[in-house]
Amino acid sequence: EIAGEALWSNLEVRARLCEGCVSHFQEGFLTCLQLWSFLEDGVITPPMAAVCKTGISNLDDERYLLSLVDALRELERFAVGRGRALDLHPIRLSLSIAQCVEQALMQFDFRNSDLRRRFDSVKYVVRRLENVVYEVDLAQQRHRAMLLVDGVVTPPQKIAPAAVRDMAELGIVDGDEEAVQRAISPETEAPKDAAVDLALLNGMKERYDLFDAMREQVIKRSRDVAKNAKNAVYALQRNDQKKADAMLATCAQEAGAIYREIICERPTLRSGGFSAALEEMSEALAYQIFLKERKLPSRSELQRASGLSFALTVQEYLGGLMDLTGEVGRLAVRHAGRGREAVQDV
């Protein structure tokens, strides 16, 4: 509502609007929903709330996974709180969930990113939960040992609250040795399959792998655009306008194909290699216009000269102009070699 339909309908603008503070808010909100879902329904991977969706699948999936790691940290705090009450069952459940999520996330081939770095912290969450389970279990064993005093169950008022609850749940009465044995035997591991939606995470992994494959294509193909743009600059330095025109036409054709086949559907892939290649292309175009007209082109003039079917961003335009200063400096040095007659050109 704040951005308006005109801005929100553009996927590239939408992706940029969802960066920074908006993404941090989205992650925090999703973390709260995931923890709330665990406390209410025992499921830490609920479907993503519609209000949090941007409509850009890779962006939504990444935010969901980032918030899931944060939810595990909150789960650790919850387990520590239950440990103070010697309540072992929810702690074991928390550990099982953390281990399950860790195993699920290990199936992802995370690239070097914030998600990869945050995933590295999951193993520490699991380790700390294991320590909490061990310590609380020891404490419970000490309380349960009080149940066996000369074969007679210790009165409830002398037993810790958690142990009293265990006795009540197991139906222990004085003299019931079989029930006492059940009380001091290890608890079965809490079920975890229902708490983690593995199908949901698997779907995210498939989309992540597809996105990563597209990203590799963009990086490789963008190198060709950047290389041709740089060759166009070299041709202009040699005053070879024909070759420069051919190189720039090839740049426009390949950049248009990359945008049409990949970027328009996955706008977050524009930043990085593709945007850098467009900056190189903007530099070559600006240099060509400068040599012909002895002026810096406006953004609209550069857009028309590019032959691209999509608009250059302000960052790509300004990046090209800033890189142009180096080429203009080299041009001035060459002119200076002609002596005083080149003062005006310099």
Side-chain angles (χ1 to χ4, degrees):
E1 293 179 3
I2 296 175
E5 183 62 29
L7 290 177
W8 194 253
S9 60
N10 187 314
L11 288 181
E12 289 187 40
V13 175
R14 190 189 309 178
R16 291 199 293 271
L17 287 172
C18 292
E19 295 175 350
C21 295
V22 175
S23 66
H24 294 315
F25 168 78
Q26 185 184 27
E27 290 172 26
F29 186 70
L30 283 170
T31 298
C32 291
L33 291 180
Q34 289 162 344
L35 186 62
W36 180 262
S37 174
F38 166 74
L39 296 175
E40 287 288 306
D41 306 318
V43 179
I44 202 169
T45 53
M48 190 167 187
V51 294
C52 294
K53 290 183 178 179
T54 64
I56 304 173
S57 60
N58 67 285
L59 194 61
D60 290 338
D61 289 346
E62 183 171 346
R63 295 286 174 262
Y64 188 93
L65 294 174
L66 286 168
S67 64
L68 180 59
V69 175
D70 287 344
L72 291 182
R73 294 173 180 170
E74 297 302 325
L75 197 64
E76 178 192 344
R77 295 188 179 95
F78 165 78
V80 170
R82 298 315 305 156
R84 294 192 181 98
L86 298 184
D87 194 0
L88 188 57
H89 176 76
I91 303 174
R92 279 184 167 159
L93 177 60
S94 300
L95 173 59
S96 297
I97 290 173
Q99 290 172 332
C100 187
V101 171
E102 181 186 31
Q103 291 299 317
L105 295 182
M106 284 181 66
Q107 307 309 310
F108 286 74
D109 295 321
F110 291 124
R111 57 185 174 276
N112 190 18
S113 63
D114 187 36
L115 184 54
R116 175 58 183 263
R117 289 186 289 273
R118 206 172 298 188
F119 164 68
D120 288 340
S121 68
V122 173
K123 60 179 177 286
Y124 299 111
V125 173
V126 172
R127 184 182 303 172
R128 286 191 290 266
L129 283 172
E130 289 173 342
N131 291 337
V132 174
V133 167
Y134 173 74
E135 292 170 3
V136 174
D137 187 54
L138 274 182
Q140 277 202 355
Q141 291 297 332
R142 287 196 296 268
H143 288 303
R144 286 170 178 166
M146 297 171 61
L147 297 174
L148 298 176
V149 179
D150 297 329
V152 179
V153 177
T154 304
Q157 61 269 23
K158 295 184 180 180
I159 304 175
V164 173
R165 187 202 59 198
D166 290 342
M167 293 171 62
E169 290 178 352
L170 294 170
I172 299 177
V173 296
D174 289 347
D176 188 347
E177 295 183 5
E178 183 179 348
V180 171
Q181 291 301 322
R182 289 201 307 272
I184 65 174
S185 61
E187 296 182 23
T188 58
E189 185 177 345
K192 58 189 176 184
D193 295 339
V196 180
D197 189 344
L198 296 178
L200 182 144
L201 296 180
N202 185 60
M204 289 184 179
K205 179 187 180 302
E206 292 176 356
R207 291 191 295 272
Y208 187 90
D209 290 342
L210 177 61
F211 178 82
D212 205 47
M214 294 296 102
R215 178 175 174 270
E216 289 298 319
Q217 283 193 38
V218 170
I219 292 173
K220 292 176 182 177
R221 295 171 66 178
S222 294
R223 289 197 194 103
D224 294 334
V225 176
K227 181 178 180 180
N228 287 330
K230 185 56 70 177
N231 287 338
V233 171
Y234 294 151
L236 290 170
Q237 289 172 348
R238 298 189 299 268
N239 201 26
D240 189 348
Q241 292 288 342
K242 184 176 181 180
K243 182 174 182 180
D245 288 340
M247 291 291 98
L248 289 173
T250 302
C251 285
Q253 182 179 1
E254 181 61 19
I258 296 172
Y259 183 86
R260 184 174 57 256
E261 296 169 12
I262 302 175
I263 302 297
C264 64
E265 295 295 330
R266 300 171 179 84
T268 54
L269 286 177
R270 180 163 186 160
S271 62
F274 185 66
S275 186
L278 292 177
E279 286 185 20
E280 292 288 347
M281 185 177 173
S282 296
E283 177 192 0
L285 289 166
Y287 190 39
Q288 186 181 53
I289 293 173
F290 177 80
L291 291 175
K292 290 179 180 179
E293 305 178 17
R294 286 296 189 270
K295 70 171 189 177
L296 295 178
S298 65
R299 185 183 172 193
S300 58
E301 289 173 336
L302 194 68
Q303 182 68 51
R304 287 194 297 271
S306 70
L308 294 171
S309 58
F310 58 93
L312 292 166
T313 65
V314 174
Q315 292 87 345
E316 290 156 0
Y317 166 70
L318 293 178
L321 288 188
M322 286 186 283
D323 290 341
L324 174 63
T325 56
E327 302 306 325
V328 172
R330 277 185 278 275
L331 179 64
V333 170
R334 288 201 303 275
H335 283 318
R338 298 185 355 241
R340 292 184 179 275
E341 63 182 39
V343 170
Q344 187 63 35
D345 290 334
V346 174

